Amino acid sequence: MAGRGILLVTGGGRGIGAATARLAAQRGYRVCINYRRDAEAAQALVAAIVREGGEALALQADVSQEAEVLRLFEAIDRLPDPLTALVNNAGTLEQQMRLDEMSAARLQRVLATNVLGPLLCAREAVRRMSTAHGGRGGAIVNLSSMAARLGSPNEYVDYAASKGAIDSLTIGLAKEVAGEGIRVNAVRPGLIHTDIHAQGGEPGRVERLQSSIPMGRGGQPEEVARAILWLLSDEASYATGTFIDLSGGR
Ligand code: NAP
């Protein structure tokens, strides 16, 4: 059994979540990799982690659906180790457009995955980790975005607003559970090379914008994963309600 307890990474099958799950397994966490649709990617990642000597399992759930979140955490409850860490990573965005073109259905989808999902997952994690609930404490890291500060005009202000909500969640929940053994922090990635930009209709978005990045390049998922793992670790024992911007200076 791994030494550091169980880490749940939502949306852990691809992109930043996958890099986080892989690094966490290398550091001794037993990793639960949640995914929504891409079972193949999640299973391939589990196989890669196991080949490297780590422990991982893939669990399907749409974090925007309460019943599926409950099922996800109940599956984790059946594992022999306690949940000690949550990375609220699952996130989505849709086709780039102005707010005056967006449908209510789209806004609901984006907010359901990016805001309701992390709130529900954080709630379930607190119910298990909090010393007030008989737990042993733990750490939560939320995936915000530089979009929370920049606003993503003409692309996806809905997404940016959802990440603003993640910032508020991080600040408030950190204070709420600071005396119950749980630290809550967030990372704000900038332009990171993953498939999420293609989902917005512009696969080359990082390349288009990289001249606006002081460091002159986009970031790699592994560079975000290392900051997440630090925030989860005892090295960050006095950090709560805080943020690490990973944006190459943007
Ligand atoms: P990605 O490559 O598009 O991967 C997204 C992951 O989230 C996938 O594993 C996907 O599952 C999962 N997911 C989406 N909706 C879900 C739902 N409702 N329930 C469960 N899982 C769901 O994205 P990424 O770039 O790695 O982004 C990860 C996080 O970082 C997101 O919160 C994103 O907003 C944030 N972020 C990214 C960037 C960037 O430049 N890439 C910058 C700032 C912040 P399936 O594989 O099953 O589809």
Side-chain angles (χ1 to χ4, degrees), residues 10-17 34-38 61-64 88-92 113 143-146 159 163 189-197 199:
T10 66
R14 299 186 288 118
I16 293 168
N34 156 253
Y35 65 97
R36 178 178 51 174
R37 289 196 196 112
D38 196 340
D62 179 342
V63 298
S64 71
N88 252 329
N89 169 79
T92 196
T113 287
L143 269 286
S144 175
S145 170
M146 288 308 287
Y159 172 83
K163 295 302 182 179
L191 293 159
I192 310 299
H193 290 281
T194 73
D195 295 340
I196 203 166
H197 310 285
Q199 206 172 303

